[in-house]
């Protein structure tokens, strides 16, 4: 005889999360809730809300790694509860970090003996690495100025206007003047000649970028080193160079080995690189390497012993996870030089495929360079009717996240779209992206021009009141004509019934081309 019983109202075992009371109320936003909820419900509700995030693999705005091998994922999860700072408790993890520092230092051609230990540290990213390097430069400059009996109240750093925001943070947080070399139309990185001209006795270092965030271009560190060497000889100064290789540090050694940008140049005293970019590790790991022990002042290093042994530390934070350090070591020994080289070559080739596809449309100027970070930065040849921001917005409907942004001074009139090619961006995806961009262009061609933007541009010229009034009239006329054209177009299509069987709201490709031609005539 089979026994059964009626489930009570409180019997959670037969209820799914979606049948429970936990989905009937909004999640707390400001205060911790008074009562607990089942773990299954907490997981399901949070997981469902996270579905509204973008797909990391299709986030072409980011340089940060979004895919790793399952074996490395297992290592990450196995070490996620290890606090890296407990070096005495986790000595093997500390050893793995030291191995990574040594490997990266040799990759950057640090002047080390075969068994000599490199000077460097793992950080939570290049931002922290840059802060540490900047502090080392500032302290060395201060020490020298004090010894000479000179003031130390006006330190500065010379950079290009294309630097990442972490440099601005360093300057503001640690009271260092940031002297920026302005960009120019067609030249979107720091000009070494202009940079050296801005150097004075208070310059703690010149920061060069190996892989500009804006267009991926490598700055000419070799020329900067040569020019700065000459100026140091003339003035008696010893202004050094820091290389921000956050993006390019794991690229140049593998596919541009002949390029001189690293410790082969005598004035390069420190280099930072992001392990979570082309170091191929998930977000949360960066590295800073110094040329020698003399380039890192001893007074910046702290020694603690309350975790069981004497431990030197030079970081801006204290506790941090060990997972990313272990993951970096996994990638270095798993891939080796050969593996990294193959991956970077694939990224470069896929960037070339994307660039060629965009050039074939005849609608874009390519801003990025062939030698640099594997990305494609491009802008519209004609943005009088529609702009790059509209393309970026419409691509989101296909799942792509492609950023649009304006260049820094003095090239702020240039607007750019940028696609970063990462390890997990295949040739098939590159071809698909080109197709989707063509669809967006085709649809934009059928839409009314941005008459308000045109009007704002015309209104900016205060001395042309009559021209602005005339332009207002023209803009209104264009709006009316486009509206009338749309109405006529829709009525004609209804009469001929050519859209039978298609999903509502979509037009045939020929219809789109027809409307494109019509709107172009009206706009002109």
């Amino acid at each position: 005889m089979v026994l059964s019983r009626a489930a009570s109202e409180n019997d959670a075992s037969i209820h799914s999360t979606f049948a429970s009371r936990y989905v009937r109320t909004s999640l707390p936003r400001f205060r911790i809730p008074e009562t607990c909820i089942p773990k299954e419900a907490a997981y399901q509700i949070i997981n469902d809300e996270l579905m509204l995030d973008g797909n990391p693999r299709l986030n072409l705005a980011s340089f940060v790694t979004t895919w790793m091998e399952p074996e490395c994922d297992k290592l990450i999860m196995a070490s996620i509860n290890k606090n890296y700072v407990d070096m005495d408790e986790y000595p093997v993890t500390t050893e793995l970090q030291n191995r990574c520092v040594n490997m990266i230092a040799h990759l950057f051609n640090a002047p080390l003996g075969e068994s000599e230990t490199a000077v460097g540290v793992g950080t939570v990213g290049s931002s922290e690495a840059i802060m540490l390097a900047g502090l080392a430069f500032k302290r060395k400059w201060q020490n020298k100025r004090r010894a000479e009996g000179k003031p130390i109240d006006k330190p500065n750093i010379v950079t290009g206007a294309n630097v990442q925001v972490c440099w601005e943070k360093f300057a503001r947080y640690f009271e260092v003047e940031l002297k920026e070399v302005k960009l120019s139309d067609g030249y979107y990185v720091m000009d070494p000649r202009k940079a050296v001209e801005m150097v004075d006795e208070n310059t703690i270092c010149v920061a060069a970028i190996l892989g500009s965030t804006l267009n991926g271009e490598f700055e000419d560190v070799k020329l900067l080193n040569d020019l700065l060497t000459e100026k140091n000889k003339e003035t008696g100064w010893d202004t050094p160079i820091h290389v921000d290789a956050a993006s390019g540090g794991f690229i140049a050694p593998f596919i541009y080995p002949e390029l001189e940008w690293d410790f082969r140049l005598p004035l390069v005293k420190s280099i930072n690189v992001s392990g979570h970019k082309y170091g191929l590790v998930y977000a949360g790991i960066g590295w800073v390497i110094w040329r020698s022990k003399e380039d890192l002042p001893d007074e910046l290093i702290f020694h603690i012993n309350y975790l069981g042994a004497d431990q030197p530390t030079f970081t801006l934070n204290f506790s941090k996870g060990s997972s990313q350090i272990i993951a970096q070591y996994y990638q270095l020994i798993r891939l080796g030089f050969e593996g990294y080289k193959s991956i970077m070559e694939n990224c470069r080739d896929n960037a070339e495929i994307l660039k060629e596809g965009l050039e074939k449309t005849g609608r874009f100027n390519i801003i990025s360079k062939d030698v640099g970070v594997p990305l494609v930065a491009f802008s519209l040849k004609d943005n009088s009717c529609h702009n790059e921001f509209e393309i970026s917005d419409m691509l989101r409907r296909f799942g792509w996240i492609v950023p649009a942004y304006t260049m820094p001074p003095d090239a702020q009139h240039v607007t750019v779209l940028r696609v970063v090619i990462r390890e997990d961006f295949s040739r098939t995806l590159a071809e698909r992206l080109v197709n989707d961009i063509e669809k967006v262009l085709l649809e934009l061609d059928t839409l009314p021009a941005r008459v308000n933007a045109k009007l704002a541009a015309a209104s900016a010229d205060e001395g042309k009141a009559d021209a602005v009034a005339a332009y207002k009239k023209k803009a209104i006329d264009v709006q009316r004509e486009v509206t009338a054209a749309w109405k006529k177009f829709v009525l004609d299509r209804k009469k001929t019934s050519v859209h039978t069987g298609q999903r509502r709201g979509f037009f045939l490709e020929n219809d789109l081309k027809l409307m494109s031609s019509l709107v172009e005539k009206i706009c002109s």
Side-chain angles (χ1 to χ4, degrees):
M1 180 178 177
V2 178
L3 298 177
S4 63
R5 62 182 177 84
S8 68
E9 186 176 344
N10 294 325
D11 188 356
S13 64
I14 65 170
H15 289 300
S16 72
T17 299
F18 299 113
S20 70
R21 60 185 173 86
Y22 305 110
V23 296
R24 299 178 195 154
T25 57
S26 298
L27 288 176
R29 296 175 182 271
F30 303 106
R31 296 179 182 274
I32 186 171
E34 294 294 332
T35 59
C36 60
I37 65 175
K39 59 182 182 296
E40 297 84 1
Y43 169 81
Q44 188 69 61
I45 293 169
I46 296 174
N47 184 67
D48 290 352
E49 191 167 9
L50 287 172
M51 290 192 303
L52 298 175
D53 273 346
N55 184 340
R57 294 281 300 277
L58 299 181
N59 179 10
L60 307 183
S62 178
F63 293 82
V64 175
T65 297
T66 55
W67 179 87
M68 296 188 74
E69 293 176 324
E71 290 76 11
C72 192
D73 289 342
K74 292 178 183 177
L75 285 174
I76 289 173
M77 293 308 300
S79 58
I80 201 166
N81 59 350
K82 290 183 180 179
N83 186 0
Y84 168 74
V85 78
D86 294 338
M87 299 179 185
D88 196 50
E89 287 77 7
Y90 309 120
V92 175
T93 299
T94 302
E95 170 62 18
L96 296 187
Q97 187 223 222
N98 295 338
R99 293 178 190 176
C100 289
V101 168
N102 288 328
M103 290 179 182
I104 296 170
H106 282 283
L107 189 67
F108 294 166
N109 294 293
L112 299 169
E114 188 61 32
S115 59
E116 185 179 355
T117 301
V119 181
V121 67
T123 62
V124 293
S126 274
S127 292
E128 184 188 6
I130 285 169
M131 303 281 179
L132 297 177
L135 284 171
F137 281 119
K138 183 180 179 182
R139 184 56 59 90
K140 283 206 68 175
W141 174 82
Q142 289 175 327
N143 291 343
K144 181 182 178 183
R145 298 278 290 182
R146 285 195 185 99
E148 296 172 349
K150 296 179 180 178
I152 60 170
D153 58 330
K154 294 182 179 180
N156 68 68
I157 286 180
V158 176
T159 70
N162 56 316
V163 292
Q164 215 261 359
V165 69
C166 61
W167 283 99
E168 298 177 33
K169 289 182 179 180
F170 169 78
R172 188 176 302 178
Y173 295 166
F174 297 103
E175 299 181 324
V176 177
E177 179 189 1
L178 193 66
K179 299 171 71 172
E180 294 184 339
V181 178
K182 303 301 182 184
L183 309 185
S184 59
D185 199 2
Y187 197 89
Y188 304 118
V189 293
M190 179 180 70
D191 185 334
R193 294 175 179 83
K194 293 180 180 178
V196 172
E197 289 174 2
M198 297 174 71
V199 170
D200 58 33
E201 64 177 350
N202 293 316
T203 302
I204 64 175
C205 76
V206 180
I209 303 177
L210 194 76
S212 171
T213 301
L214 302 178
N215 68 346
E217 186 174 352
F218 291 165
E219 292 181 347
D220 194 339
V221 188
K222 175 69 165 61
L223 178 59
L224 176 64
N225 179 86
D226 294 345
L227 294 174
L228 195 53
T229 298
E230 289 300 317
K231 183 157 189 173
N232 284 343
K233 288 180 180 178
E234 295 171 2
T235 60
W237 305 332
D238 57 354
T239 308
I241 295 173
H242 174 85
V243 179
D244 180 357
S247 299
F250 277 109
I251 296 171
F254 301 107
I255 56 178
Y256 307 113
E258 73 289 347
L259 185 67
E260 293 184 50
W261 63 274
D262 52 20
F263 292 121
R264 285 171 288 183
L265 303 175
L267 290 184
V268 174
K269 303 300 183 181
S270 57
I271 300 172
N272 70 275
V273 64
S274 291
H276 60 221
K277 292 181 179 177
Y278 288 93
L280 308 180
V281 178
Y282 292 137
I285 185 66
W287 304 93
V288 57
I289 311 295
W290 283 272
R291 184 184 194 89
S292 67
K293 292 179 180 179
E294 290 72 27
D295 298 306
L296 177 58
D298 288 335
E299 61 264 36
L300 293 178
I301 301 174
F302 291 84
H303 294 265
I304 60 171
N305 63 8
Y306 52 77
L307 291 175
D310 180 69
Q311 299 173 5
T313 174
F314 179 40
T315 57
L316 293 181
N317 65 326
F318 194 64
S319 295
K320 67 177 180 181
S322 299
S323 298
Q324 267 63 19
I325 290 173
I326 294 169
Q328 183 72 82
Y329 186 66
Y330 171 90
Q331 293 288 50
L332 291 172
I333 67 169
R334 160 76 175 95
L335 296 173
F337 194 95
E338 178 186 25
Y340 270 99
K341 185 174 186 291
S342 296
I343 289 171
M344 300 312 153
E345 287 175 341
N346 286 343
C347 291
R348 180 187 60 190
D349 293 346
N350 287 333
E352 184 65 25
I353 291 296
L354 178 60
K355 186 185 81 168
E356 292 174 358
L358 293 171
E359 287 176 329
K360 287 179 182 178
T361 67
R363 303 286 291 272
F364 297 106
N365 291 315
I366 305 299
I367 306 298
S368 50
K369 305 296 183 181
D370 292 335
V371 176
V373 177
L375 61 80
V376 182
F378 53 102
S379 61
L380 284 166
K381 291 181 177 179
D382 179 12
N383 60 3
S384 59
C385 282
H386 299 283
N387 63 24
E388 292 81 0
F389 293 100
E390 291 174 275
I391 294 176
S392 174
D393 184 59
M394 294 184 72
L395 280 173
R396 283 182 175 265
R397 298 190 312 187
F398 296 92
W400 303 109
I401 301 174
V402 178
Y405 51 88
T406 55
M407 289 290 192
D410 286 328
Q412 58 266 41
H413 60 284
V414 179
T415 305
V416 173
L417 291 155
R418 187 193 68 207
V419 175
V420 178
I421 309 299
R422 299 190 301 270
E423 174 190 15
D424 55 350
F425 189 81
S426 65
R427 181 160 301 192
T428 300
L429 288 177
E431 293 168 349
R432 181 62 179 267
L433 177 58
V434 172
N435 290 335
D436 289 341
I437 290 175
E438 289 176 337
K439 292 176 185 177
V440 166
L441 291 173
L442 194 60
E443 186 172 352
L444 280 174
D445 288 342
T446 68
L447 299 177
R450 297 176 297 108
V451 293
N452 291 333
K454 290 183 178 181
L455 180 58
S459 300
D461 190 346
E462 297 178 359
K464 297 183 179 179
D466 294 338
V468 171
Y471 193 86
K472 286 182 179 178
K473 182 177 180 181
K474 179 182 177 183
I476 293 172
D477 291 341
V478 170
Q479 284 181 316
R480 289 172 178 167
E481 288 184 45
V482 171
T483 302
W486 267 109
K487 288 181 179 179
K488 183 177 183 303
F489 178 76
V490 173
L491 288 174
D492 290 344
R493 304 321 287 170
K494 283 184 178 180
K495 290 178 183 179
T496 55
S497 302
V498 298
H499 295 299
T500 303
Q502 294 189 76
R503 291 183 296 166
R504 184 179 302 173
F506 285 84
F507 295 97
L508 289 170
E509 185 175 344
N510 290 337
D511 297 337
L512 290 172
K513 290 181 178 178
L514 178 63
M515 276 306 301
S516 173
S517 175
L518 179 61
V519 172
E520 283 181 6
K521 290 180 181 179
I522 294 173
C523 288
S524 61

